[in-house]
Amino acid sequence: MKTWCRHFYLNISWSLMAILIISGCAGSSAPIQNLRTGVSKTASVSRLAEGRTGFVVSENFKYDEALRKLFERGVSALGSGNYDEAVRSFEAVTKEAPLLCPAYINLAIAHVRNGRDEKAEKPLKKALDLVAGHPLASHEYGLLLRRAGRFDEARFVYEVSLKHFPEYFPLRKNLGVLCDLYLNDLGCATRQYEKFLDAQPEDAQVKLWLAELQGR
């Protein structure tokens, strides 16, 4: 069966999902309006309509019930801490559906949680090849690069993603921390914290970080 699968980013306060699922496919009733197309060969982006803040990434791929069950097995294993099983499941999914971006992201998350950062980079790169600047793939990849001390590369990943998905504000927070604590670029950090707080002014932690930054 061939269908559009939609991954929703409902609002700027939405907390980052650690596990992506193939749900909301073929028949979701959430109203959307076209925002931009051509993000990649396999995906497009639309803005939610009727006053709702956020966007949706739609991917075009083929799947059947067996593939869905295999994917869900990986999600279950990842959620229960059985990371070896999650890796096996998502590796199998990527072989059956090589254009399914969430499988690569989940595979990378399973590797990271299993303490194998070095194995997570390849699937994250593949996810970003499929959907340029994908916010969740960029989030995971940026953190991976930061842990590896590759700070300039992490900044590049965040900045590219924000060009495609400027409404995904957790990336602004991550970029602000990177610029603040690792790159000593206080101007960058200030800009990102301010943009984040414009959208999420109730975040007391970022307010404190910005105040400390401005006091230096």
Side-chain angles (χ1 to χ4, degrees):
M1 178 170 59
K2 189 172 184 178
T3 183
W4 283 101
C5 182
R6 290 168 174 166
H7 307 288
F8 290 91
Y9 301 82
L10 292 178
N11 54 59
I12 55 176
S13 63
W14 177 80
S15 59
L16 182 70
M17 289 178 62
I19 303 171
L20 290 173
I21 58 175
I22 41 177
S23 63
C25 302
S28 169
S29 60
I32 58 174
Q33 297 173 338
N34 184 55
L35 176 62
R36 64 175 72 85
T37 57
V39 171
S40 74
K41 294 180 180 179
T42 62
S44 63
V45 180
S46 299
R47 185 187 301 277
L48 297 176
E50 296 182 0
R52 303 172 72 195
T53 302
F55 56 89
V56 56
V57 178
S58 300
E59 296 182 60
N60 199 2
F61 63 93
K62 295 179 180 179
Y63 74 93
D64 55 23
E65 190 60 25
L67 181 64
R68 176 183 285 279
K69 288 182 178 179
L70 183 59
F71 193 101
E72 290 175 348
R73 184 190 310 162
V75 170
S76 178
L78 192 52
S80 65
N82 189 351
Y83 303 131
D84 288 335
E85 175 61 25
V87 166
R88 287 191 293 269
S89 296
F90 290 123
E91 283 182 341
V93 172
T94 61
K95 290 179 181 178
E96 293 295 322
L99 299 183
L100 183 55
C101 182
Y104 293 100
I105 299 174
N106 285 347
L107 175 58
I109 291 172
H111 281 311
V112 168
R113 292 186 180 179
N114 217 12
R116 298 171 179 171
D117 276 13
E118 72 282 357
K119 292 189 175 183
E121 185 166 8
K122 185 176 180 179
L124 287 173
K125 284 184 174 180
K126 179 63 177 179
L128 291 171
D129 284 341
L130 290 172
V131 181
H134 193 294
L136 295 183
S138 298
H139 176 274
E140 292 295 329
Y141 195 23
L143 293 178
L144 185 150
L145 292 169
R146 195 179 81 185
R147 289 194 298 271
R150 296 158 62 183
F151 305 135
D152 289 330
E153 292 176 73
R155 178 174 185 167
F156 178 78
V157 167
Y158 289 145
E159 289 177 341
V160 168
S161 184
L162 285 168
K163 288 180 180 179
H164 290 287
F165 301 97
E167 296 178 49
Y168 191 68
F169 288 93
L171 286 178
R172 296 202 180 278
K173 186 176 182 178
N174 285 358
L175 179 56
V177 170
L178 181 72
C179 289
D180 186 0
L181 301 182
Y182 298 91
L183 293 173
N184 196 33
D185 186 339
L186 304 190
C188 164
T190 299
R191 288 191 299 274
Q192 298 308 319
Y193 289 158
E194 287 177 341
K195 288 180 180 179
F196 179 87
L197 288 172
D198 283 344
Q200 201 161 347
E202 71 280 4
D203 193 307
Q205 185 179 52
V206 177
K207 283 183 179 179
L208 178 62
W209 292 345
L210 181 58
E212 291 176 345
L213 193 61
Q214 292 171 334
R216 293 181 194 175

